[in-house]
Amino acid sequence: MKSSVLICTAQQQFSLQEFDIPKLASSDLLVRCVWSGVSVGTEFAVIRNKISYGPYPICTGYQAVGCVEDVGAAVTKFDVGDKVYYRRNYIPMRVDGQPVTVCSGAHASYALMPEDAEVERLPEGVDDATGALFVMPAVGYNAVDMAGVQMGDVVAFHAVGLIGLGALAAAHLRGAVTIAIDLNASRLEMAKELGATHTINAEGMSPGELTARVQEIQPGGADVVFEGSGVPSCLDLAFPLARLRGKFVFLGHYGKEPVSFNYLVPHGKQLTAFFPCNDGLAPCREAVLRNIATGAIPWEKTITHRVDASEAPELYAKINRDELPDLFGAVIRWS
């Protein structure tokens, strides 16, 4: 049996290639992927070598939903037929004798993993395609939890991509007053769908004008500011949005190179900084999926692109060429 896998080369060329699925160890699961979710931020930072997890060729993808097709003799947690969500794939891969760097490797028709890996049953009521985008809202949920967002806090989100939207939705559920800030009008409309109390289109605004606009909502600035662009130069735009002794969350991934910013602004404001990483593991994933199941987080609205696996290489090429400006969430159907 073989698994079809989305592979990227150092020249940022994308293709589907097939690899043999090894015999299951006693504690392994074999999962047939139904949908995998695309992370435009982290995956393309890896593809473009802004972040490096190892040499090319690479296989990205860190979120998927599938069905358990086979289990090892010692597996007790799962049964054949279970619907699961997962983050890892341990199928060994080589291209022209070169080992593939598996950056989680979820963009594949089959995934192999131990039963104690990052895999759990999908809650009832979660659509398979929506469930395949579980990591980004969980990253946001984890960041909101770390920052201790409270009911009534005024919270500004500087850049509302999928992770920013996930954090905004979590803060909204905690009773915060939420401010979505972006240059993209479509993102701001999506933010309203997910609970934004205020939206600010910063296109053409000077930094001073943006700060003044936030202070119209709360004099002195926001209690908590989340910077979600992942662009280091945006940090100096976001620091002034916070109030004196407020909180600042480095929500974006700013890459492997050193980051610099104007120290005097956060220093003068005496900000408390938070550096969330990953998605909060099982507790955040479960909380997000329960909220999706109940409709409290209408995450299905973020899916703008659905493609079959055969179309995945072209989807990735278009994203890499910045040809899909209206893209929010994208999912790939494998079976």
Side-chain angles (χ1 to χ4, degrees):
M1 180 180 276
K2 294 181 181 291
S3 177
S4 180
V5 181
L6 179 64
I7 297 294
C8 173
T9 68
Q11 294 73 40
Q12 297 174 17
Q13 297 175 328
F14 304 94
S15 64
L16 290 178
Q17 300 195 34
E18 291 194 335
F19 301 93
D20 290 325
I21 300 172
K23 182 179 179 181
L24 272 66
S26 62
S27 60
D28 282 348
L29 309 175
L30 179 65
V31 178
R32 173 177 53 82
C33 185
V34 180
W35 292 90
S36 63
V38 178
S39 169
V40 174
T42 302
E43 285 190 60
F44 282 83
V46 173
I47 287 165
R48 295 164 176 166
N49 205 32
K50 177 184 175 185
I51 305 169
S52 178
Y53 294 130
Y56 298 89
I58 59 174
C59 172
T60 62
Y62 56 63
Q63 51 190 344
V65 166
C67 292
V68 176
E69 286 225 335
D70 199 3
V71 297
V75 170
T76 59
K77 186 177 176 182
F78 298 97
D79 297 311
V80 171
D82 284 347
K83 184 73 63 69
V84 295
Y85 63 100
Y86 58 95
R87 292 206 59 181
R88 305 291 174 192
N89 183 3
Y90 293 92
I91 293 176
M93 309 173 200
R94 299 181 76 89
V95 174
D96 298 328
Q98 174 70 33
V100 174
T101 297
V102 179
C103 308
S104 295
H107 293 316
S109 59
Y110 283 91
L112 184 70
M113 70 208 70
E115 69 168 334
D116 60 357
E118 295 177 280
V119 54
E120 298 290 345
R121 286 185 179 84
L122 188 71
E124 291 186 13
V126 179
D127 169 73
D128 292 351
T130 306
L133 281 175
F134 69 91
V135 172
M136 278 83 82
V139 171
Y141 209 105
N142 180 47
V144 165
D145 190 60
M146 280 185 65
V149 172
Q150 301 293 315
M151 186 178 299
D153 282 347
V154 174
V155 186
F157 298 87
H158 189 265
V160 283
L162 280 186
I163 289 176
L165 288 171
L168 186 148
H172 168 69
L173 289 177
R174 289 193 170 199
V177 176
T178 54
I179 308 169
I181 303 165
D182 209 286
L183 304 176
N184 185 311
S186 297
R187 286 186 175 188
L188 294 174
E189 288 301 314
M190 187 69 71
K192 290 180 184 177
E193 297 277 350
L194 292 170
T197 315
H198 305 273
T199 59
I200 300 174
N201 190 327
E203 181 70 37
M205 279 190 183
S206 69
E209 289 171 333
L210 177 57
T211 300
R213 180 69 185 89
V214 170
Q215 292 188 359
E216 288 174 7
I217 298 168
Q218 173 158 281
D223 299 301
V224 192
V225 174
F226 289 75
E227 205 302 301
S229 70
V231 179
S233 61
C234 286
L235 292 168
D236 285 329
L237 299 177
F239 284 129
L241 306 180
R243 65 166 173 82
L244 181 67
R245 299 188 184 90
K247 300 175 181 179
F248 190 91
V249 183
F250 288 77
L251 183 62
H253 195 311
Y254 298 92
K256 61 185 179 180
E257 301 301 326
V259 172
S260 64
F261 53 79
N262 182 356
Y263 165 77
L264 290 179
V265 176
H267 173 71
K269 286 180 173 285
Q270 301 174 52
L271 300 182
T272 299
F274 296 87
F275 295 85
C277 179
N278 212 322
D279 64 359
L281 307 179
C284 281
R285 298 169 196 162
E286 292 168 7
V288 160
L289 286 166
R290 286 197 303 269
N291 281 315
I292 290 173
T294 64
I297 299 179
W299 200 242
E300 70 283 353
K301 294 181 179 181
T302 67
I303 300 177
T304 55
H305 291 68
R306 300 169 186 252
V307 302
D308 288 328
S310 61
E311 303 169 289
E314 182 59 21
L315 172 71
Y316 268 65
K318 287 181 177 179
I319 296 172
N320 199 39
R321 296 192 298 261
D322 296 320
E323 293 178 359
L324 300 174
D326 295 326
L327 176 85
F328 281 96
V331 289
I332 301 167
R333 179 170 50 226
W334 294 89
S335 63

